[in-house]
Amino acid sequence: MKKKYLSVSSLVMMIFLGVFGFGNIANNFKEVGMSSATMLVIGILFYFLPLCLIMAEFGAYAQDRTSGIYSWIEIGLGKKMAYFAIWSYFIANIFYLPTLATRVPTYFSFGLFGDANISNMQTATLSLVALVISLIIGVKYQKAIGALSKPIGYVSLFTVLIFLVAGIYLHLTGQGATNLTTEMFIIKTTSKSDLARSLGTFSWILFAFGGGEVVGPYVNQVENPEKNFVKGLLVASMLIGILYVLGIVSVSAFGTQEDFSKISLINAVLAGFKFMGDKIGLGIWFVKLMGIAYSLITLVALILWGSSLAAGVFSEAPKGTFPDWLTKKSDKNGILRNALIFQTILAFLFIALTTFGGEAAGELYYRVYDMTTMALIVPYFCLGISYIFFRKRGYVSPFQISKGNLIPILAGVSVSAMTFIAFIFAGYDFTVPIVKQLDKMKLYYGGLLMFMLIGVIIKFLSGINHKSKENKKK
């Protein structure tokens, strides 16, 4: 029987679903206006594009590996650093899964009622349904995830293109809600406070580019990965970059920065389409249609993220790194049933805690969620450093950014430098005395340190338990 391979278009749509977020457009515009478009261009050139090129080269080199980002970091930095990088990755994303799951019923509510008219019980129930669907597909139909991502990715792309075309049309005909000027695109750095705010905003904007690594575990499902995996990453990076920048321009046609400042984070996606519908005379049916579309888009993104997270963290972890039952593969296809079930249970417990645990429990969860923020930076920083060592040691991939080492090393330095900037300025404002921002710094930097220590303990105890089992077998 001929093996079925993932097409380049499927890869592009998987990356698109994993990375692109319309909420990032609306919320970045809300925070700093049109200058966020300029920040996005800088982020694309010095972070996202080199990051995708690095992942393409690693993917072409390690095309038989199944963990993606873990294997890429392990090649250059070794197993110990790869563990801490992937542990950070797990910590950051295990709190992202319940966020995705709760967005499914919220968007579905927009589809039914044209608004987020949904109770806590309904949110929890429908979130559980979304998580169970994600689990079933991850366990039983993992090979079909690429095929599922392709049509839903096209739906997502279509919704964005509708928005872009309408927004640009309004600007060209002088009907935009925001009067565009060249000065709006200039990043404010004239004063110390403007510079600090711009650095802080830019640091958070870099988070909008996370997610391209979701296709890492699927390299071995791509025919001629040295060509097609590379092509998928490069096409996706250019597509996402262009849509992010044009999206900022378009969103300003439907509402001003002040209009969007009144919208909550989770409602920003549908609010943008509601502003669009009101501006060009579409009825509530349009918002409902977009609500249905985004409930499907988010559900597939949940499926993709859940499966990719389990594969990236647990599929190639050395024995004794995690409890053996977490890394156990349930069949010849390498399905991590236990890990997927574990992730699902954790995600639903987090949802139940915030939904039914009362105000104190909700505050505790969101405080812990904030504490995990910086954890997402660690794997990307390590990936850039790993790539530098990879090239310096003379490893040769079927695809190379450049035959010489200068440009590739600059790419690795650029990615690591951008993540280091994000690490510093996402949690620190140099215009405010340290004493006055200690609580914020403890939350972000202290939270990361705490989770790193938890990772050390888990690795230590898992190692002891594994050695004990091995000794009993002798």
Side-chain angles (χ1 to χ4, degrees):
M1 185 177 179
K2 188 177 180 180
K3 182 179 178 179
K4 291 184 178 180
Y5 292 101
L6 280 176
S7 65
V8 173
S9 56
S10 293
L11 276 176
V12 172
M13 289 301 106
M14 289 170 78
I15 298 166
F16 186 75
L17 285 172
V19 177
F20 189 85
F22 184 86
N24 292 323
I25 294 173
N27 286 295
N28 288 332
F29 175 68
K30 176 176 74 173
E31 288 300 315
V32 291
M34 297 306 302
S35 64
S36 58
T38 307
M39 293 181 182
L40 282 164
V41 170
I42 295 171
I44 291 162
L45 294 176
F46 293 98
Y47 178 67
F48 189 49
L49 182 57
L51 178 65
C52 286
L53 286 167
I54 286 170
M55 290 192 292
E57 186 164 338
F58 268 130
Y61 178 80
Q63 53 190 260
D64 295 325
R65 306 283 293 265
T66 59
S67 64
I69 193 167
Y70 170 85
S71 61
W72 303 338
I73 296 171
E74 187 264 333
I75 289 167
L77 297 181
K79 290 181 171 57
K80 288 183 180 178
M81 280 303 300
Y83 166 75
F84 287 110
I86 210 67
W87 168 250
S88 300
Y89 187 74
F90 178 75
I91 287 299
N93 285 296
I94 196 61
F95 285 90
Y96 181 57
L97 294 183
T99 301
L100 279 175
T102 54
R103 286 178 184 174
V104 174
T106 301
Y107 294 150
F108 190 64
S109 176
F110 272 99
L112 293 179
F113 310 111
D115 201 353
N117 183 23
I118 189 167
S119 69
N120 287 345
M121 178 61 77
Q122 290 169 329
T123 298
T125 302
L126 292 175
S127 297
L128 177 60
V129 171
L131 286 167
V132 170
I133 291 172
S134 174
L135 175 62
I136 291 171
I137 292 177
V139 171
K140 296 287 187 182
Y141 308 104
Q142 197 171 92
K143 295 283 187 183
I145 291 176
L148 180 64
S149 298
K150 186 175 179 178
I152 301 301
Y154 282 134
V155 170
S156 180
L157 180 59
F158 180 68
T159 63
V160 176
L161 290 176
I162 291 174
F163 198 87
L164 295 187
V165 171
I168 292 171
Y169 171 78
L170 288 176
H171 276 309
L172 291 175
T173 55
Q175 302 176 63
T178 306
N179 293 320
L180 299 180
T181 63
T182 305
E183 289 75 19
M184 288 181 174
F185 292 88
I186 298 172
I187 300 171
K188 294 180 180 179
T189 57
T190 51
S191 68
K192 194 175 179 181
S193 59
D194 283 340
L195 177 60
R197 186 163 183 260
S198 295
L199 282 171
T201 304
F202 176 70
S203 297
W204 287 105
I205 277 178
L206 289 181
F207 285 80
F209 294 112
E213 71 286 345
V214 294
V215 295
Y218 301 93
V219 179
N220 61 356
Q221 295 182 31
V222 179
E223 188 175 18
N224 299 323
E226 64 275 8
K227 177 182 176 183
N228 293 326
F229 186 72
V230 171
K231 188 185 295 184
L233 272 164
L234 295 184
V235 170
S237 66
M238 289 186 285
L239 177 66
I240 291 165
I242 291 168
L243 292 182
Y244 264 150
V245 175
L246 291 180
I248 296 292
V249 177
S250 295
V251 81
S252 68
F254 305 113
T256 64
Q257 188 178 353
E258 184 181 356
D259 292 332
F260 277 91
S261 68
K262 301 171 185 176
I263 307 302
S264 68
L265 175 66
I266 192 170
N267 293 337
V269 174
L270 274 303
F273 284 102
K274 187 176 187 304
F275 285 151
M276 173 184 168
D278 293 341
K279 190 74 176 175
I280 61 179
L282 297 174
I284 192 66
W285 65 268
F286 179 71
V287 177
K288 290 183 176 182
L289 184 62
M290 292 299 102
I292 295 295
Y294 270 89
S295 62
L296 287 172
I297 291 165
T298 310
L299 176 61
V300 176
L302 174 66
I303 294 166
L304 178 60
W305 269 102
S307 295
S308 180
L309 180 61
V313 176
F314 302 112
S315 69
E316 290 189 22
K319 292 185 180 299
T321 302
F322 294 106
D324 291 343
W325 58 272
L326 265 178
T327 57
K328 181 181 178 182
K329 295 176 181 178
S330 56
D331 62 18
K332 63 180 181 180
N333 294 319
I335 303 298
L336 294 152
R337 186 195 305 270
N338 292 343
L340 288 165
I341 293 172
F342 176 67
Q343 288 179 178
T344 303
I345 292 171
L346 271 184
F348 183 68
L349 286 177
F350 293 148
I351 293 171
L353 180 68
T354 55
T355 306
F356 306 114
E359 187 176 339
E363 287 180 2
L364 175 62
Y365 171 78
Y366 288 113
R367 187 172 180 81
V368 174
Y369 181 88
D370 287 339
M371 290 169 69
T372 67
T373 303
M374 293 299 178
L376 188 59
I377 294 173
V378 176
Y380 298 115
F381 176 80
C382 290
L383 186 60
I385 299 297
S386 175
Y387 180 67
I388 293 171
F389 279 97
F390 173 79
R391 291 303 299 251
K392 290 287 284 184
R393 290 170 181 164
Y395 291 105
V396 179
S397 172
F399 164 77
Q400 293 183 304
I401 296 175
S402 171
K403 297 294 182 183
N405 278 349
L406 179 60
I407 294 175
I409 288 175
L410 285 176
V413 169
S414 185
V415 167
S416 297
M418 290 294 104
T419 52
F420 186 72
I421 288 171
F423 180 77
I424 298 298
F425 294 107
Y428 171 67
D429 184 341
F430 60 82
T431 65
V432 179
I434 290 179
V435 176
K436 292 186 178 181
Q437 51 181 328
L438 272 178
D439 288 342
K440 179 182 176 182
M441 293 175 70
K442 286 178 183 177
L443 185 70
Y444 289 139
Y445 304 121
L448 177 60
L449 178 60
M450 184 190 77
F451 283 116
M452 288 295 98
L453 290 174
I454 291 173
V456 170
I457 293 169
I458 289 175
K459 189 174 188 299
F460 177 72
L461 294 177
S462 298
I464 290 176
N465 186 51
H466 179 71
K467 285 179 181 178
S468 177
K469 288 181 179 179
E470 291 296 308
N471 288 334
K472 286 180 181 178
K473 290 179 181 179
K474 292 179 180 178

